[in-house]
Amino acid sequence: MAINSAVPNVEKKVLLASLMFAAAMLGLIAYAAIRLGISVPTCITNVKPFEEGELIRVAPGRYEAHVVAKTWSFKPNRIKVERGSVVDFYVTSKDIVHGFMIDRTNVNLMAIPGAVNYAQARFDKAGKHQILCHEFCKSGHDNMMGWIEVTP
Ligand code: CUA
């Protein structure tokens, strides 16, 4: 009888201790957010220039491509530059890990949520280069691609 009545008391103490611990953790998070100004990091795709993904012409023959990967496409997925152009690629992901590879170039990046990866390529021959996702990203992976068109 004494043992039976003791068990609930122990459980109550454990429950109380865990509630106090959880309250202390919430208090620390609130303290960090309000008094120290520390906030939880936001997704990179919520800030410029990665809200949508775009190709920016910074000078004649010089481009910046801000590429956002998501299941199962790239934005932009059609990039058009003139022959001899140099393109800086900044690549991130909106959801899960994807790949970003441009055929017949050295560009081979991972598109990672919360991070931006960089590569540069020069396009000296007119024609088309395929962009491929080379990281298996579930059912639509095989169709996740884009094109770079190099005009004469
Ligand atoms: Cu995206 Cu495979």
Side-chain angles (χ1 to χ4, degrees):
M1 188 66 186
I3 292 171
N4 283 346
S5 62
V7 172
N9 278 340
V10 169
E11 285 180 356
K12 276 180 199 167
K13 282 180 185 166
V14 169
L15 194 62
L16 188 66
S18 55
L19 284 174
M20 284 169 64
F21 183 74
M25 288 298 112
L26 285 174
L28 281 174
I29 291 169
Y31 176 76
I34 296 163
R35 296 300 297 269
L36 304 180
I38 299 167
S39 60
V40 177
T42 54
C43 188
I44 283 173
T45 50
N46 292 337
V47 297
K48 288 188 178 199
F50 292 98
E51 286 170 336
E52 280 302 314
E54 59 183 333
L55 180 71
I56 300 167
R57 189 174 195 251
V58 290
R62 291 288 279 124
Y63 293 87
E64 275 186 18
H66 300 143
V67 179
V68 177
K70 62 176 182 136
T71 47
W72 288 279
S73 63
F74 296 106
K75 265 191 168 177
N77 71 348
R78 296 255 186 274
I79 290 173
K80 198 173 176 179
V81 298
E82 64 270 21
R83 188 166 59 87
S85 292
V86 175
V87 184
D88 293 305
F89 292 93
Y90 299 90
V91 179
T92 189
S93 170
K94 210 165 193 150
D95 40 44
I96 58 173
V97 174
H98 296 279
F100 182 84
M101 192 181 91
I102 306 171
D103 77 333
R104 290 175 292 122
T105 70
N106 289 332
V107 178
N108 184 341
L109 298 171
M110 301 306 294
I112 300 168
V116 177
N117 284 329
Y118 169 79
Q120 189 185 70
R122 183 185 172 95
F123 297 93
D124 282 325
K125 286 182 182 167
K128 279 188 165 184
H129 295 259
Q130 194 168 26
I131 302 168
L132 289 168
C133 175
H134 62 295
E135 175 69 22
F136 180 69
C137 54
K138 297 187 282 181
S139 61
H141 165 75
D142 290 345
N143 295 317
M144 186 165 172
M145 60 184 73
W147 293 95
I148 295 175
E149 187 185 339
V150 183
T151 58

